[in-house]
Amino acid sequence: MKKEVEVIVYGANQLCPSCIHLPSSKETYEWLEAALKRKYPEQPFTIRYVDFTNPEMDKDKEFSERIVEEDLFYPVVTVEGEIVGEGNPRLKTIYKEMEQYGYEAK
């Protein structure tokens, strides 16, 4: 593994208007965290949930503003700052990005 990556799920308490029948942002975060831990056991990574309507950390504010300005579908999933999914993120795409950083499926 090249380095420990940071995965961030940006979402909001309110469901995305275009994503009515999909899980909430928080549910997506929990599902993604569990899936990544199963796929890459004993391979450390950081995963965080950020409410983009009220980001607590300064480093999340700029991206949170981008979500609003570009009218992105949420949740928005990033790996090392690169968008890898929005609205209904696909595990296959996220796994592919993780493997670019040296993560190996177990």
Side-chain angles (χ1 to χ4, degrees), residues 94-105:
I94 296 166
Y95 290 159
K96 184 177 178 181
E97 186 69 18
M98 294 286 287
E99 289 165 9
Q100 298 263 340
Y101 288 92
Y103 286 80
E104 296 178 8

Side-chain angles (χ1 to χ4, degrees), residues 8-95:
I8 303 176
V9 178
Y10 292 88
N13 289 332
Q14 181 180 350
L15 290 177
C16 172
S18 299
C19 308
I20 294 172
H21 299 290
L22 298 176
S24 71
S25 297
K26 194 70 160 179
E27 290 169 330
T28 298
Y29 160 75
E30 292 166 352
W31 161 79
L32 181 58
E33 180 180 36
L36 291 174
K37 285 181 178 179
R38 277 192 308 274
K39 183 83 168 180
Y40 308 112
E42 300 175 24
Q43 297 174 70
F45 60 88
T46 303
I47 184 166
R48 297 188 299 122
Y49 176 79
V50 174
D51 182 341
F52 75 87
T53 63
N54 188 24
E56 295 179 10
M57 298 170 63
D58 286 339
K59 68 180 187 175
D60 296 324
K61 288 180 182 176
E62 185 176 325
F63 192 84
S64 295
E65 290 170 4
R66 180 177 169 198
I67 293 171
V68 174
E69 289 170 5
E70 295 180 18
D71 203 23
L72 300 175
F73 295 113
Y74 54 90
V76 177
V77 179
T78 65
V79 174
E80 288 299 302
E82 294 294 319
I83 297 174
V84 293
E86 60 176 295
N88 188 17
R90 303 280 180 225
L91 276 177
K92 197 174 204 178
T93 306
I94 296 166
Y95 290 159

